[in-house]
Amino acid sequence: MRILFLFLLLAGSISAQTLSPSVVARKDLMNLLQERKILFDHYSASLRERSGIFGQRTKTDLRETQSKLQEIVDTDNRIISALNRMLDYKNFEKLNLTYSANTNEERLNNLQQLSDTLSKQVEALKLENKKLQSGSKHGDFYIFLLMLICGGLIVRMFLKGRGTRDEGR
């Protein structure tokens, strides 16, 4: 039985740690409202109490009613504080959301500028690549022509060398 109680206690403390602040604040507010309802019921009952002679209210009745009213006022003050905390938290979340949106927008603009710059560089490199490929084709043609001329010269020299050998015999 103790183990089960410890397990439930531990599970409750872990689940309380994982709740967001807004959920915790809402639970606290609901608890305070429930407490105020109970206090107001007690206050209403104390207003109906008449313990004096001939059904009149005594000083004690009035003091009890006054103390219950003070408890209600204290609870109301705690409710207002809880509402203010929730409002402050919502304003804080809204501020963070606005800051995040501004940061993301700035980051998006920077990435857009980077993308535009890279696109321009890609276009420039494509143009340069076309020029180099065109130059390479001309270079290939000139190399082929040079090899053809060299081949022709070699064949001519070979034939000329044969012709001089044939004459020498």
Side-chain angles (χ1 to χ4, degrees):
M1 187 65 175
R2 286 182 183 176
I3 294 174
L4 180 62
F5 178 72
L6 288 174
F7 177 74
L8 290 175
L9 183 65
L10 181 63
S13 67
I14 289 174
S15 66
Q17 291 172 355
T18 60
L19 296 177
S20 70
S22 63
V23 172
V24 171
R26 188 172 291 136
K27 282 179 111 177
D28 289 343
L29 184 62
M30 294 311 253
N31 290 338
L32 286 171
L33 289 172
Q34 185 66 28
E35 181 182 339
R36 188 193 188 283
K37 181 183 179 293
I38 292 169
L39 289 173
F40 187 78
D41 290 343
H42 290 306
Y43 171 73
S44 297
S46 72
L47 284 176
R48 288 188 296 272
E49 286 182 12
R50 299 180 185 276
S51 60
I53 301 175
F54 303 114
Q56 298 295 317
R57 292 180 56 108
T58 62
K59 285 184 182 180
T60 308
D61 293 338
L62 292 174
R63 282 188 192 122
E64 286 179 16
T65 303
Q66 186 65 27
S67 69
K68 292 189 186 304
L69 183 62
Q70 186 60 41
E71 289 177 9
I72 291 174
V73 169
D74 292 341
T75 304
D76 287 347
N77 289 337
R78 290 194 325 230
I79 290 171
I80 290 171
S81 295
L83 287 172
N84 284 335
R85 278 193 311 272
M86 286 179 66
L87 184 63
D88 289 344
Y89 183 73
K90 284 201 179 266
N91 288 339
F92 176 72
E93 282 183 331
K94 192 174 191 180
L95 182 66
N96 278 345
L97 185 62
T98 303
Y99 177 74
S100 295
N102 289 340
T103 303
N104 288 340
E105 185 175 335
E106 183 180 325
R107 186 173 179 217
L108 183 64
N109 288 338
N110 290 340
L111 289 174
Q112 186 68 35
Q113 288 176 351
L114 179 64
S115 175
D116 292 344
T117 303
L118 290 176
S119 295
K120 288 177 185 176
Q121 287 178 353
V122 164
E123 290 300 321
L125 289 174
K126 281 183 180 179
L127 185 62
E128 187 178 339
N129 192 17
K130 282 183 182 178
K131 287 180 183 178
L132 290 175
Q133 284 179 351
S134 173
S136 173
K137 287 179 184 176
H138 291 298
D140 289 346
F141 175 73
Y142 292 132
I143 289 175
F144 175 72
L145 188 61
L146 185 62
M147 289 179 80
L148 191 62
I149 292 172
C150 287
L153 288 174
I154 290 173
V155 167
R156 187 171 178 190
M157 287 172 57
F158 180 70
L159 289 176
K160 194 175 189 186
R162 236 186 193 190
T164 44
R165 272 196 250 164
D166 286 343
E167 289 177 8
R169 282 191 205 175

